[in-house]
Amino acid sequence: ERNANNVAYTSSALPPHQDLAYYESPPGMQLLHCAMMGRGVVGGESTLIDGMAAAHRLREVRPESFECLVKCAATFVKQRDGAGMTYRRPHIVLAEEGGMGMAAREITAVYWSPPFEGPVCLPPGQVDRYYEAYADFERLLNGDANGNEPM
């Protein structure tokens, strides 16, 4: 679409992401479909990833990064046409403690939406560690330069 107000309405490739992470209560599942595809149209493929499996794997291989993404809130934003939505939450959410340490608590949600992330609002001493943890998780979700597939 010419002059699209959302990258989803263009021919640009989108990396794996979750829609509506800037909502307080985003939908648990969203299904998209193509009603009609014109002749000569190229693209439109969808890639599904398992964010929960990636979070479990991050807990195993980079526990310090996992802990950082549980403790540090990301800022998710959507701004257009005079409307602005912002919500801050960690990328990985765990069940309430109930006497268990972080390593044993159930992962209840994953929020991953790079196209809709706003400014990092963390104390200066946490920013570098956050970006390292973010990069670790992104490699699990998107694959890496070594040809490893995303989860």
Side-chain angles (χ1 to χ4, degrees):
E1 179 178 313
R2 197 178 291 264
N3 299 319
N5 65 3
N6 188 311
V7 70
Y9 305 130
T10 71
S11 60
S12 299
L14 291 172
H17 68 282
Q18 174 186 15
D19 286 340
L20 309 175
Y22 42 81
Y23 280 20
E24 179 179 0
S25 182
M29 181 180 289
Q30 183 179 16
L31 301 174
L32 306 176
H33 69 283
C34 176
M36 184 174 76
M37 191 154 171
R39 286 194 174 150
V41 172
V42 177
E45 293 85 6
S46 292
T47 301
L48 299 178
I49 59 171
D50 189 339
M52 297 290 274
H56 281 279
R57 182 74 178 138
L58 185 68
R59 180 187 266 174
E60 292 171 6
V61 298
R62 296 275 191 278
E64 67 286 346
S65 291
F66 177 84
E67 182 176 349
C68 180
L69 296 182
V70 166
K71 290 182 174 180
C72 295
T75 305
F76 298 98
V77 298
K78 174 72 172 188
Q79 295 176 324
R80 77 163 180 193
D81 301 331
M85 292 171 269
T86 303
Y87 200 80
R88 295 191 70 234
R89 70 171 99 236
H91 288 287
I92 301 170
V93 179
L94 302 180
E96 295 299 319
E97 272 192 60
M100 293 186 285
M102 186 173 299
R105 288 166 49 201
E106 177 186 6
I107 298 169
T108 59
V110 172
Y111 298 97
W112 188 257
S113 194
F116 298 101
E117 288 180 26
V120 173
C121 299
L122 296 171
Q126 294 180 5
V127 172
D128 288 345
R129 182 68 204 110
Y130 170 79
Y131 280 122
E132 290 169 10
Y134 186 99
D136 286 342
F137 197 44
E138 185 172 43
R139 279 189 293 277
L140 286 175
L141 292 166
N142 295 346
D144 61 23
N146 296 322
N148 294 317
E149 294 292 317
M151 301 206 94

